[in-house]
Amino acid sequence: MITAMTRLVCALLLFAPMPAFTCTCAVAMDAPRSLHSRSTIFRGTVIDKKVLPLRPEMRGRGRYAITFRVDRYWQGSSSPTLVLYTVDDGTDCLGGSSYLVGTNYLVFASSEESRDVFLEDYFWVGWVDILPKGTQMLVPETCAPGGESSTVKELIEQLGKGRAPRK
C-alpha cells in the first residue's frame, strides 16, 4: 500500500523543477511515423516568446506562449502564425521553454483542450487561468523529432516539400 508520505516524496522527486536532468523518452517518434499521428507539423521562426503568469501550484515552473511565423507546414493548420503553449523543460518531457526568438525550428505539436492536470491529488500543470477550459491550444508533442531547422535538415528532407501557409 502506498502511503501519503510516499506519494508526496515521489511527487517532489518527479515533478519539482530539476534543470540538471533532461527528458529521456522511452520511444522517440520519427518523421514518417509522425505524419500518421495527430500532429501539426510546421517549420517556422519564433517571433515572440511571452512569459505567462506563474501558478503557485506549479512550484515555480514557468509557462510560455511562443508565437511562430510559419514558412512551411506538412500537417495541420495552414495559418501563417501559430502559438505554441509550453512549460519549462523538465524530466517529464513536457518542456519547450528553450525556443529562442529569431530562430527557425521544425515543430511537431498536438492540439489539446486547455485544462488543469492533476496526478491523483497533486496539481501538475494548468492552463485554465489563461485560456477558458476546453479551448483548443497547440502544445509540443512529447518525444517527437524536431528542433532547430539547421540541425534537422535530414528530417525536413524526409518530410518532403511541404506547403506554404495561406497569406
Side-chain angles (χ1 to χ4, degrees):
M1 181 187 261
I2 297 176
T3 66
M5 180 59 93
T6 303
R7 279 190 258 179
L8 177 61
V9 169
C10 288
L12 290 173
L13 291 173
L14 291 174
F15 305 116
M18 292 186 265
F21 300 107
T22 59
C23 162
T24 303
C25 295
V27 178
M29 295 189 320
D30 59 11
R33 211 172 51 172
S34 297
L35 284 170
H36 301 291
S37 71
R38 60 190 177 124
S39 297
T40 293
I41 304 171
F42 67 93
R43 185 182 68 201
T45 301
V46 176
I47 57 174
D48 187 42
K49 182 175 180 178
K50 181 179 178 184
V51 177
L52 300 173
L54 288 174
R55 286 206 49 185
E57 309 97 310
M58 291 177 62
R59 294 171 287 297
R61 193 170 194 186
R63 301 177 297 169
Y64 307 88
I66 301 174
T67 305
F68 290 84
R69 183 182 59 247
V70 177
D71 54 66
R72 301 302 289 171
Y73 77 98
W74 288 266
Q75 190 167 292
S77 175
S78 64
S79 176
T81 59
L82 291 173
V83 177
L84 193 66
Y85 290 89
T86 69
V87 294
D88 282 330
D89 295 331
T91 59
D92 57 10
C93 301
L94 289 182
S97 62
S98 56
Y99 290 110
L100 302 172
V101 173
T103 304
N104 190 274
Y105 295 92
L106 175 64
V107 178
F108 290 73
S110 299
S111 181
E112 295 183 1
E113 290 185 357
S114 63
R115 62 190 175 108
D116 287 346
V117 179
F118 292 83
L119 297 176
E120 293 192 23
D121 296 332
Y122 301 102
F123 186 88
W124 186 16
V125 66
W127 299 101
V128 298
D129 62 314
I130 295 167
L131 299 168
K133 185 176 182 177
T135 301
Q136 290 297 308
M137 57 188 273
L138 206 55
V139 298
E141 198 158 293
T142 305
C143 297
E148 234 179 283
S149 295
S150 62
T151 64
V152 294
K153 291 177 182 176
E154 189 175 306
L155 276 175
I156 294 170
E157 288 174 13
Q158 286 179 9
L159 289 169
K161 185 178 177 184
R163 298 180 293 265
R166 71 178 188 276
K167 299 286 182 192

